[in-house]
Amino acid sequence: MSDHYGDVKVQLGQMKSLGEDAEKEEVDPEEEMPVSSPSASPDPAGCCITTAPGTDALSTNICKQKGKRSRKNPCGKPLQGFPAHAVKNINSPICEQTLLIKGTGKILQGKSAESNWNYVAVHESSNTQETRCEDEFKLPRKRRPVTVDTSKAKTSLEALKLSIKELQWKEFHTGRRAACDIYWHGVSFHDNENIVSGQVNKFPGMVEMLRKINLSRAVRTMQELFPEEYDFYPRSWILPEEYQQFSTEIRMVKESDATESPTFIVKPDGGSQGDGIYLIRDPGDLKLVVGAQAKQAVVQEYIHKPLLIDKLKFDIRLYVLIKSVQPLEIYIAKEGLTRFCTEPYQEPSQKNLSRVFMHLTNYSLNVQSGNYVHSDSQNTGSKRTLSSVLYRLAAKGVDIKRVWSDIIALVIKSVIAVLPDLKVHYQADIPPAKPGPTCFQILGFDILLMKNLKPVLLEVNSNPSMRIEHEQEVAPGVFEYVPSPVDEQVKVGVIRDTLRLMDPFNKKLTATPHPAGGGSDPVEVIPADGDSQGRSPDNAGNLPPLCLKQVYPKYTKQFSHLRLVERIAALFIRFLGVKGNMRLGPTAFRTFIRTCKLSNSNLTMASVDILYIDITRRWSFALADSREAGMGLQAFVEAFFNLAGRRFKSLALREQVVSLLDLCESHLGPQSGAEDRRSLSCSRALPRGGRTPALYLPRPRPISPAAHRRATSQDCRPHQRPKPRTLRANVEN
Ligand code: ADP
């Protein structure tokens, strides 16, 4: 452990002894802080189903631990009596997950037939049970190494190789005819279309969902429902559609206070590495191209008072693992990177707007500045570890526990915002009946700290660079890739520990499948606090403690009330009908209205048809890129809000939506949103209140977010599935 880690730990210990413990209801920052180190201990023992290694394993064992003889899984559910039950997250360091049951020909690997989530389907037969009894006392064999297909890893390859080596797993760098346990893709889920089992390190649809416009839309929907909770994202407008509204609002701000001269940052929708980004102070300075050539972009309020270190603006790159979407499991890397500008910061003025080395923290831009400092040290230079920056701040008396707690909240809320769309993509790309892999993904969150220490989300990268070397001029005119110690320290840890968490032989045994669109009740398994979070999931002993900390479901209580749009998405998926669809046709929409008994004298079926046509037409922009015509999720959400407003006129938007959801679900029976109903009751949907002051512009806010949405819906151009195949490789930002 480096010295500064130790120092900060001491400081934190002192803070704790001074009674500065985080409030119980808030995120517990101490345990999660990047400057602390988790205690490593093996997972609690549990029993599991296993076979001997290899694909032709012919026996099934019950692995027992702690010497208890039991035919129960760790949840206490008997294994017998399930004709074809699904068992999730099988967890044992010694268990094989691929099972060919003696005499049955049934294979126990991958997903259940009903679900694409992280389950293992288990088909028992009497034969199995007999064999299990026979083998109950056999010693487990040494497991085969986990196999990883790295043929599509691209720029992650070096860090991946190091990680696989540390874990003593087996790499297949040119691919493998037989299935691998894990497939590492450099760009998207679709890098290799032929995977039918195992785990892929990308979710279908993630790239599209995290494009600037889609992310802005998803957050905006959440801002409508939970304005106080989603105040960590700068006010944004989508261009060119919202140009009029943008200029009107800015004019009103300026008119209300002549001294106000806010600055805005314009970012092209598909851009990265700061490409095409520029600052403006007047809507007239937008480089708008009209007509078919119109460039889509987000124009965003510029955070003009960032926190500075050494007079320089910097941002945080935080690595976040989405281990599973159902149940939702989020891990945050305790160590991240900070990227520094290379020119001292000044608040934006007409004169300095174009000084990119002052305003943009992108590595790819600043590395071109003569001032860029490549450093072997973690706490100097233009790229530093997050812990070293937090240490600096702690030394100045900053409450870094609070900062870290706010960052965790920002991450969980952002993931919750994109989850509904992600689930629709998931069921479309891997329909429940189709064989397919399960998915996980490392995301790169770019976060800016404001001067008042409030974290602000800049963007989320679906392909954060995992490069651990950088180009350097080793002699005049001679460039070479040289190792970057800071990158290596952070990124290899993130990849290695992601792999450890995804180890197929180490999954925890849990119960109850959670189908995306059909099947039985969805039930999210919420481990109790103090479960295996933060512990080393293997018994290797020689590996360091995990650098990834679970934050969800750990903090379910504080955030589950936000998962409202997911319930709308569950309805949407239910009525999609044909597997693989992402859009609802008019008949399906009518069926939804009828089944949920929403039509009455105020909402005739004729007006339902008009609503469908009206909303679908306005959202039809994305059709050119989509697989089929109809109503996408975001349009459905708008329709749902509209229906909720008509039905429960006297309530505020959020209560309208909750009431309509309750109504719909009550007519649909147990299939829809059981998990959600349990955790998202109406009372839970009340705001918790912002902990930190709102960011942004002195908003005269002539239009409320909900009204804003309705007002702009006339010229609103949704961006639901823009060019899914035109993806870029991961690049250093
Ligand atoms: P890209 O994907 O091109 O890197 P980002 O959204 O990350 O686009 O923006 C690039 C850089 O611009 C960020 O790293 C940050 O330094 C700066 N930036 C972006 N948005 C804002 C904002 N709203 N306020 C202040 N600075 C910003």
Side-chain angles (χ1 to χ4, degrees), residues 212 234 265 267 271-275 277 300-303 313 315 359-362 446 448 458-459 733:
K212 292 178 172 62
I265 182 163
K267 315 184 198 179
S272 65
Q273 303 180 289
D275 272 355
I277 291 187
Q300 200 170 69
E301 177 186 358
Y302 185 72
I303 306 301
K313 177 176 172 178
D315 77 349
H359 291 294
L360 306 187
T361 49
N362 299 79
D446 290 351
L448 191 72
L458 298 179
E459 73 160 343
N733 223 13

